Amino acid sequence: MWSLSSLFTAFSVVFWVLNYKNIPLTPSEEVGNVFRVRTYTTRSPAMECDLNGHKSNSTYFSDLDIARTDLMVDVFRKLILDLKKRDGRWVYIPLGAVASVFRREIKPYASYNIRSKIVGWDDKWLFVVSKFESPQTKKLHAISVTKYVFKMGRKTLPIREALERNGTWSPEIERQGREGMKWVQGIVDLDQIEEMPF
Ligand SMILES: *[C@@H]1O[C@H](CO)[C@@H](O)[C@H](O)[C@H]1NC(C)=O
Ligand SMILES: *[C@@H]1O[C@H](CO)[C@@H](O)[C@H](O)[C@H]1NC(C)=O
């Protein structure tokens, strides 16, 4: 089950390195802050537009891959590098779920920002919210939630341990992370769809 998603993760990291289509990648707002915001700025090429002449909704997902991988690599850099040094292999950070709300179209060649941040976690899952916004008007085009898990081989690394290993865990941070779960309850509840007979 993980092999496809790890392949996907590996692919997206390679893609992220090779296809750095960012105009400036802004530096972290606060180093050491788990809830820091990372901004990825890009532009909609004509190729991504559909018959209606706006950025095709499916292409939001490949942008999201770049933006949230950038956030995760920035926030968990120490964890990722330390585990690689210790075990000789990369920690996987596969996606458990993604949900998006589309609000306003993006016109061809329009630039937009994707601002991403970690909003919360439970024992196993970590939730990232990404907003697609116009840099000029700050209007919201779309908003997405991504659910992540940390895997070392078959073993799941609890979120608390991931934060501890990166040198950033405290009861106060844990409290804020748990509190942030109120924003993402919708994607948590989505899991119950598996019980629907089909
Ligand atoms: C994790 O470690 C990296 C590298 O030391 C650091 O840049 C980053 O700010 C740390 N993350 C947090 C949430 O403190
Ligand atoms: C894509 O999203 C826009 C809103 O951003 C919506 O108006 C449009 O109907 C969506 N298109 C499709 C094919 O879902």
Side-chain angles (χ1 to χ4, degrees):
M1 182 193 170
W2 297 119
S3 61
L4 192 64
S5 52
S6 57
L7 199 71
F8 191 72
T9 305
F11 177 78
S12 59
V13 170
V14 170
F15 182 80
W16 175 74
V17 171
L18 295 181
N19 260 332
Y20 227 45
K21 68 171 179 172
N22 328 11
I23 307 134
L25 191 65
T26 53
S28 303
E29 288 178 1
E30 279 167 84
V31 172
N33 180 357
V34 180
F35 305 101
R36 72 182 75 161
V37 176
R38 289 282 287 184
T39 305
Y40 168 73
T41 302
T42 188
R43 198 173 273 284
S44 151
M47 216 182 78
E48 286 184 355
C49 292
D50 63 16
L51 292 174
N52 305 318
H54 59 234
K55 181 178 161 62
S56 162
N57 297 9
S58 63
T59 63
Y60 285 69
F61 290 94
S62 49
D63 285 338
L64 263 181
D65 243 336
I66 302 170
R68 65 198 168 194
T69 302
D70 171 69
L71 173 77
M72 293 297 280
V73 169
D74 188 60
V75 174
F76 289 102
R77 185 174 344 203
K78 180 168 156 52
L79 167 86
I80 295 168
L81 296 178
D82 285 359
L83 287 181
K84 169 72 173 157
K85 212 178 283 170
R86 194 192 71 180
D87 295 358
R89 56 178 169 172
W90 296 107
V91 57
Y92 306 146
I93 316 179
L95 310 184
V98 184
S100 291
V101 176
F102 297 107
R103 279 278 175 246
R104 249 182 222 98
E105 60 170 7
I106 296 177
K107 295 275 199 287
Y109 301 110
S111 73
Y112 49 96
N113 289 333
I114 305 172
R115 295 196 305 125
S116 302
K117 77 181 282 232
I118 292 170
V119 293
W121 56 87
D122 58 19
D123 294 339
K124 179 173 177 188
W125 301 103
L126 179 110
F127 297 82
V128 171
V129 169
S130 305
K131 289 185 178 183
F132 289 70
E133 289 172 339
S134 152
Q136 292 84 25
T137 63
K138 307 287 174 223
K139 277 189 179 149
L140 183 70
H141 291 285
I143 185 160
S144 298
V145 188
T146 303
K147 180 171 121 173
Y148 280 113
V149 63
F150 290 87
K151 288 274 172 186
M152 283 304 294
R154 281 158 189 250
K155 200 177 149 273
T156 296
L157 199 66
I159 305 303
R160 174 176 172 165
E161 195 182 327
L163 290 167
E164 280 170 347
R165 284 180 178 276
N166 204 91
T168 314
W169 185 88
S170 70
E172 177 51 23
I173 285 172
E174 185 73 19
R175 191 191 62 74
Q176 290 179 32
R178 300 290 170 148
E179 195 184 297
M181 288 299 290
K182 68 175 183 228
W183 298 107
V184 296
Q185 205 53 49
I187 195 170
V188 173
D189 294 345
L190 198 59
D191 278 342
Q192 74 182 20
I193 206 164
E194 277 183 43
E195 284 149 35
M196 177 188 175
F198 215 93

